[in-house]
């Protein structure tokens, strides 16, 4: 019997046969190991009750194993050459449950896509999947957080360095804006470590597949999310500065003396650095700052 993903195309052979080169500008590092691709899909646990959006299907290394398991798969591929080839492959392999959009995922209206995906599919769970192009990975994380109310979870491959930032603990240099953003609304688990040799072309670093789950209710319900995001962005605006100075630079609407006063009132030393604050500190800080802003505008 044929192994489930035995027909996976070799990216190296594909590019050679077309006289093309993988595009660095599109973060193209393709999985070339069928067993690794299959292991990622198996470990993700996607199944018949899932509807999946895959970002950057490339040559379908993950797409076909995913499509064999789930109800519906929508793939979004920016590279027109790959999208055209994949369209033919989907038809030839007779996958009725795959829809392809030849588009830039960052230019699409995610809500409209989700509506389309979940039409007539009540009770199904929405999962975002992808071996992400490294150059848009951070932007995708931000989009996920913005759209998390519709999403059950995401299974994403990141370069190791970014993966370490996403699951960092307070106090270290990896802990930053993205870590805090995820920590207030998500649970993160590492599913698979993938060595650089599993890709063509071979990247300089290893990768990691992470599950980002958005539990409902959320781990830290936040009354004013916009304020939290603004405060976190300001706090990490310049990591060499003290918290007070970063907030002064990043929140021009709040008076300097108010910032120092707020920090002391909530028991945070103004000379601490942003990376030493945990998510509860950030929530208290953003609440205190937005309360002070309201008072200032009402004065
Ligand atoms: N999923 C394939 C695999 O694992 O072999 C390919 C992964 S490769 C790291 C990233 C893929 O994302 C490429 O196919 C690339 O063309 C595509 N891509 C890059 N930027 C994109 C964007 N903004 N929107 C959609 N696809 C994009």
């Amino acid at each position: 019997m044929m192994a489930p993903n035995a027909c996976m195309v070799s990216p190296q052979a594909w590019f050679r046969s077309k006289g093309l080169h993988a595009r660095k500008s599109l973060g193209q590092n393709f999985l070339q190991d069928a067993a690794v691709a299959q292991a990622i899909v198996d470990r993700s646990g996607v199944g018949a009750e899932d509807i999946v959006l895959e970002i950057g299907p490339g040559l379908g290394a993950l797409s076909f194993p995913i499509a064999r398991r789930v109800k519906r798969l929508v793939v979004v591929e920016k590279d027109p050459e790959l999208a055209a080839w994949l369209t033919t492959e989907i038809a030839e392999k007779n996958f009725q449950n795959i829809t392809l959009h030849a588009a830039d995922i960052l230019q699409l209206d995610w809500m409209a896509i989700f509506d389309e995906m979940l039409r007539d599919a009540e009770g199904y769970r929405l999962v975002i999947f992808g071996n992400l192009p490294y150059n848009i990975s951070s932007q995708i994380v931000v989009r996920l957080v913005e759209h998390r109310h519709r999403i059950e979870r995401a299974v994403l491959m990141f370069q190791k360095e970014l993966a370490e930032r996403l699951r960092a603990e307070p106090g270290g240099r990896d802990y930053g804006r993205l870590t805090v953003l995820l920590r207030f609304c998500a649970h993160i688990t590492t599913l698979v470590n993938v060595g650089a040799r599993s890709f063509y072309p071979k990247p300089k670093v290893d990768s990691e597949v992470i599950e980002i789950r958005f539990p409902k209710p959320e781990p830290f319900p936040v009354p004013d999310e916009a304020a939290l995001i603004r405060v976190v962005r300001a706090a990490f605006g310049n990591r060499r500065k003290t918290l007070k100075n970063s907030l002064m630079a990043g929140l021009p609407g709040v008076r300097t003396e108010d910032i120092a006063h707020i920090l002391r009132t909530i028991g945070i030393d103004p000379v601490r650095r942003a990376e030493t604050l945990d998510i509860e500190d950030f929530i208290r800080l953003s609440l205190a700052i937005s309360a002070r802003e309201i008072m200032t505008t009402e004065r």
Side-chain angles (χ1 to χ4, degrees), residues 26-31 54-62 76-79 82 103-106 131-133 135-136 157:
L26 290 179
Q28 291 184 342
N29 297 101
F30 300 89
L31 275 168
E54 189 197 359
I55 300 169
L59 294 165
L62 296 168
V76 179
E77 175 55 61
K78 184 174 177 183
D79 185 325
L82 293 174
D104 180 338
I105 188 70
L106 297 175
N131 169 12
L132 291 185
N135 45 352
I136 62 165
M157 176 130 62

Side-chain angles (χ1 to χ4, degrees), residues 53-118:
L53 171 67
E54 189 197 359
I55 300 169
L59 294 165
L62 296 168
S63 324
F64 296 120
I66 294 171
R68 286 189 190 97
R69 297 176 65 130
V70 304
K71 160 125 177 115
R72 192 175 289 167
L73 170 66
V74 172
V75 296
V76 179
E77 175 55 61
K78 184 174 177 183
D79 185 325
E81 239 99 37
L82 293 174
W85 179 84
L86 203 50
T87 303
T88 313
E89 276 296 289
I90 293 167
E92 276 176 8
K93 289 189 157 86
N94 201 20
F95 274 98
Q96 311 270 351
N97 64 343
I98 306 182
T99 308
L100 183 143
H101 292 276
D104 180 338
I105 188 70
L106 297 175
Q107 300 300 324
L108 290 183
D109 175 347
W110 285 31
M111 282 304 189
I113 293 248
F114 295 165
D115 285 343
E116 176 197 318
M117 292 173 72
L118 294 168

